Amino acid sequence: MQEASFTNLFKTIMWIIAFYYIFKFLARIFLPVLVKKAVEKAGENFQRQQQYGQDNSWQQTRNNNNDEIIINTANAKKPRETKKVGDYVDYEEID
């Protein structure tokens, strides 16, 4: 069984500080490279999605390029009917 001593505590604190600075140094070197790769990959995914969307819309316009006009009246706004609750009664004031 080992006893706690001042030298072992000092060595432990020094190891913790050393690992902290080593990690900090390696993060300065490798973190920008990792972030750059992540941004490039996200950009490629965005480009791929945009290209797919443009290709898909181009095919739809190419397929609908005949001289036929289609009007969708299902979404046309219709005037709303007012609810008829009852007859309107005009009251006169009696003196």
Side-chain angles (χ1 to χ4, degrees):
M1 187 160 140
Q2 295 181 350
E3 293 181 10
S5 66
F6 181 72
T7 57
N8 286 338
L9 177 66
F10 183 70
K11 283 182 184 179
T12 304
I13 292 173
M14 292 304 290
W15 276 110
I16 291 171
I17 292 172
F19 281 126
Y20 171 74
Y21 281 108
I22 289 170
F23 178 76
K24 195 172 163 183
F25 175 74
L26 292 175
R28 282 190 179 186
I29 293 173
F30 293 114
L31 196 60
V33 175
L34 294 174
V35 170
K36 184 178 178 182
K37 286 189 183 244
V39 168
E40 286 175 356
K41 187 167 183 165
E44 289 174 3
N45 288 340
F46 180 73
Q47 292 269 343
R48 192 176 309 118
Q49 287 176 354
Q50 289 292 334
Q51 186 66 32
Y52 175 74
Q54 287 176 355
D55 289 344
N56 199 11
S57 65
W58 181 76
Q59 288 176 355
Q60 287 177 354
T61 56
R62 187 182 61 169
N63 290 340
N64 293 336
N65 199 9
N66 51 10
D67 293 327
E68 186 177 321
I69 298 175
I70 299 172
I71 299 174
N72 188 2
T73 59
N75 293 334
K77 291 184 178 179
K78 296 179 183 177
R80 294 183 182 175
E81 294 181 16
T82 57
K83 293 182 181 179
K84 295 182 180 179
V85 180
D87 293 331
Y88 178 73
V89 178
D90 190 18
Y91 292 99
E92 285 187 23
E93 202 172 302
I94 302 176
D95 292 327

